Amino acid sequence: MIIVNPIYDVVFKYLLEDIDIARGLLSTIIGEEIEELTVQPQEMSIRKIQTQEVIRIIRLDFKATIKTVTNEKKIVLIELQKARKLFDIMRFREYLAENYKKGEELVNEKGETEINPLPIITIYFLGFKLDYLTTAVIKVNRVYTDAETGKPIENAQKEPFIENLTHDSYTIQIPFLGNEVRTTLQKVLRVFNQKFKIKDDKHKLDFQENTDNSLVQKILDRLNRAVTSEEILKEMDAEDEVDRLFGKIELQLDQAKQELKGKEKELKDKDKKLKGKEKELKEERQKAEEERQKAEEERQKAEEERQKAEEERQKAEEERQKNQDLEKQLAELKKLLGQ
């Protein structure tokens, strides 16, 4: 069966506009029965193109009544976000923060209307791969643990305070959806598997496998009907154009990063060379200073030797003069004796 590719935002949104399909898909992902599902007022998609930024994300918010395994009913908010490209993680957090502000209006015992916060479940469909995990579907759920012993608290009653301030999360990495079909979830998610993509038309998948799953069949029938929708196909072309611009901007950013790295390396090399020259100059200055100090010491030594020689000369002169005086006195004495 030929179907439109649900990795496209417009197709994904079109698929989940069928509330029965949305309920079945969400129930299969979270592993709990959703009895009632309503779409919350929301911003269905965001597209923004700036000089160096391309953002595309689709966000769907639902309020669900879930029937638990113990036949209890609970009302939760389900926030579903889908992104084909990786971008700032803060975008995901911003949308989550908005849902934490939401609640359900209830009338209390005094007849007053108050807002009751609802637990949140987040589901992320990613058209890209995470950095480290290669698992196709990742569940992060809350377990009450005694921090002192490190052991789970058995038979712990769910606390509204904790339940309303934390949430379970499911992340689906579409590129890692494989060929295994051992579980119902794997069967349902195979409709997103890009291995079925038609070689010359990435807008469509050729899903030829037989399925006995009624939800999968509903999904296939709906996606098959959209194959002839000019509006959807036109919107898919628009998404391709955005991706083309995104790729172009990514390329420009990569080139700019490479140029920046080159300049940084050049500056580092110059800085290293300059530091080398500074070191050489410092060593030369130190050597010159040592030579100057040595020359000064030698000059002082020569001066001391000169002064010593001068003192010895003066002493010798004094001795010579003294000897002359003695010789003169001796000559006079001889003269007196001769007379």
Side-chain angles (χ1 to χ4, degrees):
M1 180 182 291
I2 304 299
I3 61 175
V4 285
N5 192 345
I7 200 171
Y8 281 84
D9 295 347
V10 63
V11 179
F12 189 82
K13 174 178 174 292
Y14 165 78
L15 179 63
L16 294 186
E17 283 174 347
D18 185 310
I19 201 68
D20 287 334
I21 290 177
R23 181 171 61 247
L25 178 61
L26 297 178
S27 293
T28 305
I29 293 173
I30 68 175
E32 293 185 292
E33 181 184 351
I34 297 177
E35 290 190 337
E36 296 181 15
L37 186 73
T38 57
V39 180
Q40 295 291 96
Q42 60 208 295
E43 194 172 358
M44 299 297 288
S45 63
I46 296 177
R47 289 201 182 130
K48 185 178 180 182
I49 303 177
Q50 297 179 353
T51 305
Q52 292 186 340
E53 181 182 25
V54 176
I55 297 171
R56 257 227 333 269
I57 185 170
I58 185 169
R59 171 195 174 195
L60 305 171
D61 293 335
F62 303 91
K63 184 166 75 171
T65 301
I66 295 177
K67 182 179 180 180
T68 67
V69 292
T70 58
N71 290 324
E72 298 179 15
K73 291 187 179 181
K74 62 179 180 180
I75 300 176
V76 301
L77 291 176
I78 298 179
E79 178 186 284
L80 188 153
Q81 295 188 49
K82 175 187 167 295
R84 291 177 63 185
K85 299 287 184 179
L86 176 63
F87 55 88
D88 187 359
I89 194 69
M90 291 303 295
R91 299 289 177 178
F92 290 102
R93 289 174 61 92
E94 287 173 6
Y95 303 144
L96 179 59
E98 291 178 14
N99 269 336
Y100 266 111
K101 299 176 184 178
K102 297 178 182 178
E104 184 180 28
E105 289 188 357
L106 295 176
V107 178
N108 61 23
E109 297 177 353
K110 298 180 181 179
E112 300 172 339
T113 300
E114 59 182 23
I115 302 298
N116 180 40
L118 295 176
I120 296 174
I121 298 174
T122 58
I123 300 174
Y124 303 106
F125 274 81
L126 306 181
F128 54 89
K129 298 177 182 180
L130 297 175
D131 291 334
Y132 307 109
L133 297 176
T134 59
T135 305
V137 183
I138 304 159
K139 177 182 179 179
V140 179
N141 62 332
R142 297 158 296 165
V143 176
Y144 287 24
T145 303
D146 187 330
E148 294 182 352
T149 64
K151 297 180 179 179
I153 302 175
E154 296 183 1
N155 303 319
Q157 183 69 29
K158 299 294 184 181
E159 287 286 352
F161 178 85
I162 296 175
E163 292 298 298
N164 289 321
L165 291 175
T166 58
H167 66 276
D168 291 342
S169 176
Y170 300 82
T171 300
I172 299 167
Q173 298 187 84
I174 295 176
F176 286 121
L177 292 175
N179 297 321
E180 292 183 333
V181 287
R182 293 177 298 180
T183 66
T184 301
L185 179 58
Q186 288 172 338
K187 288 181 180 180
V188 172
L189 293 179
R190 276 184 74 73
V191 298
F192 293 92
N193 196 322
Q194 296 301 293
K195 82 163 194 173
F196 299 114
K197 187 163 49 180
I198 296 176
K199 183 177 181 181
D200 298 327
D201 189 355
K202 60 184 178 180
H203 289 180
K204 300 182 181 68
L205 304 181
D206 187 5
F207 195 93
Q208 295 296 338
E209 297 184 5
N210 294 324
T211 177
D212 56 357
N213 185 287
S214 60
L215 174 60
V216 174
Q217 194 58 54
K218 284 182 182 179
I219 292 174
L220 293 175
D221 290 340
R222 184 165 179 81
L223 295 179
N224 176 256
R225 290 195 296 272
V227 169
T228 57
S229 172
E230 292 185 4
E231 182 180 352
I232 289 179
L233 295 176
K234 184 177 180 181
E235 185 65 20
M236 293 170 81
D237 285 333
E239 289 187 31
D240 286 339
E241 178 63 16
V242 172
D243 283 343
R244 186 188 67 79
L245 292 175
F246 184 88
K248 184 178 180 180
I249 291 174
E250 274 189 328
L251 180 61
Q252 292 174 347
L253 287 175
D254 287 341
Q255 291 175 345
K257 288 178 181 178
Q258 291 300 322
E259 291 178 3
L260 182 59
K261 285 182 179 179
K263 290 181 179 178
E264 287 177 347
K265 185 178 183 302
E266 184 179 347
L267 288 174
K268 286 181 180 179
D269 291 341
K270 288 182 178 179
D271 185 57
K272 185 177 180 181
K273 188 175 180 180
L274 180 60
K275 287 181 178 179
K277 288 184 177 180
E278 288 177 348
K279 184 179 179 181
E280 290 178 4
L281 182 60
K282 184 177 180 180
E283 291 174 350
E284 289 177 359
R285 286 177 178 173
Q286 186 174 356
K287 185 178 179 181
E289 179 64 19
E290 291 174 353
E291 291 177 351
R292 186 193 66 77
Q293 289 179 357
K294 185 178 179 181
E296 179 64 19
E297 290 172 357
E298 291 177 352
R299 187 192 66 78
Q300 289 178 356
K301 185 178 179 182
E303 179 65 19
E304 290 173 357
E305 291 177 352
R306 186 192 66 77
Q307 290 178 355
K308 185 178 179 181
E310 179 65 20
E311 290 173 356
E312 290 177 352
R313 187 190 65 77
Q314 290 179 356
K315 185 177 180 181
E317 179 63 25
E318 290 174 355
E319 289 289 335
R320 186 187 66 78
Q321 186 65 40
K322 184 178 179 181
N323 289 336
Q324 285 180 353
D325 291 341
L326 289 173
E327 288 176 357
K328 185 177 179 181
Q329 291 175 6
L330 181 60
E332 290 178 355
L333 181 57
K334 286 180 178 181
K335 185 179 180 181
L336 289 173
L337 290 174
Q339 293 177 353

